[in-house]
Amino acid sequence: MTETTHTQSMRPEPPDGAFEPYKPRSPEFRAAMDALRGLRQELFHDAFAYRPLPRASTDGRFARRLPGPLRQYAAWGPHALIGAAGLIAMLIASDSFNGAAVNLVLGLLALVPVLLTMVRPVGAFWLSMVATPVAAVLGSEWDTEWPWLPGSFACHLFVLTIVAIRTRPRAAAWMWVLTAVYGVAAETAFRGGQYFDSDTMGLLFLSALSLLGVTVWHIRSEARQEVTAQQTVTAHERSRRTLLEERTTIARELHDVVAHHMSVVAIQAEAAPYRVENPPPELEKAFVTIRENAVAALTELRRVLGVVRADDYEAPDAPQPTLADLDALLANVREAGLTVDKGMTGAVRELPQGVELSAYRIVQEALSNTLRHAPGASARVEIGYVIGGLGLRIVNDPPPRTALLKPSPGAGHGITGMRERVSMLNGEMTAAPTADGGYEVTVFLPAVTAAEGDA
């Protein structure tokens, strides 16, 4: 039997026995408090923090079209645009009949907040809010707009837009709300009985459109960054998956090759005593030990490497291909439309089966890449038997411009598989475009035969 105990938290009673009923806070109250905390965080916490405007990237869509000498100046494009906006606001503010001294002050009140957005964006907003009533007092004698003089109107609109670009959309929304509060308060409480044309609604409408455009731009930029990051992760995972699949394929082939040789060793060790007349007991015991070790190694090999086989994988009935089957491969790709030649140097000799299998697969993948990425091009396969190993060179010409087929896009996974095979054999490989627009793959696979080892 399970006993469940329900506990109810009680609010501690106030001292002296006085009872104070508990009043839960309403959702509206909590929402208001959250909003006030957001306002304090966005506009009051480190409001005048130093945040210099970084230089723009020279790899952008428009910067790449500029000639070399001008591209380095494109990094200062945002600073130049902000400076131009400040000069426009200054010209608008100083174009009045208030006198040269007043016009100079009005121009500076409109210029400085715009320029300040490049180093202290939130502080520039507060400076614009402070400069607006000062400019209204200095220029109210000849100007009929209230509470935003033409220069203050342009300055504040520029400041709101620039600060919205440099900060988060929530901060821009709070700035817009404070602008509306100041405009309504100035129209109702500080008009002073004089007749002015109200321009608060015009500023709020234009700034709302500007902030809406900036918000959409922020959303698109964040979405583009997220998509780019996701594509990078996907490409990395795809490359890793391809590498694991290639390693699985190599392990399967290695299992087949080694299992075949170990089976041959076990059979020959079992049959060897019957080929010798009256073999000594020591020899029979040695062959029995060889067979037992071979069988044990084969069992362990199947246990370890057999786990990489898929459930539906079946061992091939035919033997694994070697360099002796290369002519059939070349005939096959010729039927697919690829013009390919073969050249051989050195004394042809039998190499370890793993080396020959890897060499065959590398040539096969390189020719497949030629068919896929350079349709209509011709290729050449060069095989060099050298002391200590095997050299391969597969090179293709650039595809002709009159080719009927277009190159097929790829992610370079074939190169990854080739590098994995070469790395497994402690070889060396280079794969790079040629000077004439083709592609070249060169490989060296170390392989020491028994004869070379005795020499």
Side-chain angles (χ1 to χ4, degrees):
M1 177 180 294
T2 304
E3 182 180 355
T4 305
T5 303
H6 297 279
T7 59
Q8 183 177 3
S9 60
M10 301 294 294
R11 189 182 182 193
E13 296 184 358
D16 300 332
F19 179 75
E20 180 183 355
Y22 174 69
K23 296 181 180 179
R25 295 178 178 178
S26 63
E28 293 80 5
F29 179 80
R30 289 196 296 268
M33 294 303 297
D34 292 340
L36 291 177
R37 282 193 294 267
L39 173 63
R40 181 178 59 185
Q41 180 180 0
E42 298 292 341
L43 298 185
F44 292 96
H45 182 66
D46 292 335
F48 289 89
Y50 182 68
R51 302 171 186 173
L53 178 65
R55 290 187 295 176
S57 174
T58 57
D59 296 331
R61 181 172 52 184
F62 299 102
R64 287 197 303 263
R65 300 178 181 177
L66 297 175
L70 295 179
R71 187 177 302 175
Q72 57 181 347
Y73 297 105
W76 300 99
H79 303 76
L81 291 177
I82 294 177
L87 291 178
I88 292 175
M90 180 179 180
L91 292 177
I92 295 175
S94 58
D95 187 16
S96 64
F97 300 97
N98 295 295
V102 175
N103 286 341
L104 178 61
V105 175
L106 294 177
L108 292 177
L109 291 177
L111 172 64
V112 174
V114 178
L115 297 182
L116 190 61
T117 58
M118 290 188 287
V119 289
R120 306 182 190 275
V122 180
F125 166 76
W126 288 114
L127 181 60
S128 178
M129 291 291 293
V130 173
T132 296
V134 175
V137 172
L138 293 177
S140 60
E141 182 179 356
W142 297 98
D143 295 291
T144 59
E145 292 82 2
W146 183 268
W148 313 90
L149 270 63
S152 301
F153 189 100
C155 170
H156 202 69
L157 181 60
F158 290 149
V159 168
L160 284 178
T161 303
I162 298 171
V163 174
I165 294 175
R166 299 205 57 201
T167 58
R168 294 185 293 180
R170 187 173 68 175
W174 278 118
M175 294 177 187
W176 187 88
V177 171
L178 292 180
T179 301
V181 170
Y182 169 77
V184 173
E187 288 184 2
T188 57
F190 302 104
R191 187 182 292 265
Q194 301 181 9
Y195 176 77
F196 293 103
D197 293 332
S198 174
D199 52 3
T200 299
M201 293 305 299
L203 176 61
L204 294 179
F205 177 75
L206 292 178
S207 59
L209 290 180
S210 176
L211 296 183
L212 178 61
V214 172
T215 303
V216 172
W217 176 79
H218 272 296
I219 294 175
R220 289 192 59 185
S221 299
E222 293 177 357
R224 189 182 301 111
Q225 293 177 359
E226 184 177 355
V227 169
T228 302
Q230 188 63 33
Q231 288 177 347
T232 303
V233 173
T234 303
H236 179 67
E237 292 297 330
R238 187 184 300 114
S239 178
R240 287 189 59 190
R241 185 172 63 251
T242 303
L243 183 61
L244 292 177
E245 291 175 354
E246 188 64 30
R247 288 181 177 178
T248 302
T249 302
I250 295 173
R252 291 170 179 170
E253 295 175 347
L254 180 63
H255 172 270
D256 298 334
V257 171
V258 178
H260 168 72
H261 288 291
M262 294 302 295
S263 299
V264 172
V265 170
I267 294 173
Q268 289 180 347
E270 185 178 7
Y274 301 99
R275 296 185 179 183
V276 179
E277 185 177 356
N278 298 323
E282 294 82 2
L283 182 60
E284 291 183 354
K285 185 177 180 180
F287 279 120
V288 170
T289 304
I290 292 174
R291 182 181 182 280
E292 290 177 352
N293 290 334
V295 172
L298 182 60
T299 303
E300 187 67 16
L301 176 67
R302 286 174 176 171
R303 185 184 69 81
V304 175
L305 294 181
V307 298
V308 302
R309 296 185 182 274
D311 295 336
D312 56 349
Y313 176 79
E314 296 181 359
D317 296 333
Q320 296 289 352
T322 62
L323 291 177
D325 304 310
L326 194 58
D327 290 336
L329 174 63
L330 299 182
N332 189 19
V333 296
R334 290 189 184 104
E335 292 179 358
L338 176 63
T339 302
V340 56
D341 298 327
K342 185 183 75 169
M344 300 185 66
T345 58
V348 179
R349 64 186 185 278
E350 184 178 358
L351 298 174
Q353 188 170 358
V355 174
E356 295 216 1
L357 174 61
S358 296
Y360 179 91
R361 295 301 188 197
I362 290 172
V363 174
Q364 183 183 38
E365 184 61 37
L367 295 179
S368 298
N369 288 342
T370 302
L371 284 171
R372 186 182 304 113
H373 301 289
S378 59
R380 178 172 176 80
V381 177
E382 298 179 0
I383 303 174
Y385 289 86
V386 297
I387 298 177
L390 178 71
L392 298 174
R393 180 175 179 267
I394 305 96
V395 60
N396 64 267
D397 299 331
R401 297 182 179 179
T402 57
L404 299 179
L405 298 177
K406 294 183 179 180
S408 175
H413 295 159
I415 299 295
T416 302
M418 287 189 282
R419 291 189 186 279
E420 184 66 19
R421 290 182 179 273
V422 174
S423 176
M424 180 189 67
L425 298 174
N426 295 324
E428 299 178 358
M429 172 180 166
T430 59
T434 59
D436 58 354
Y439 205 83
E440 179 181 4
V441 176
T442 58
V443 175
F444 175 76
L445 301 177
V448 179
T449 62
E452 293 174 348
D454 295 339

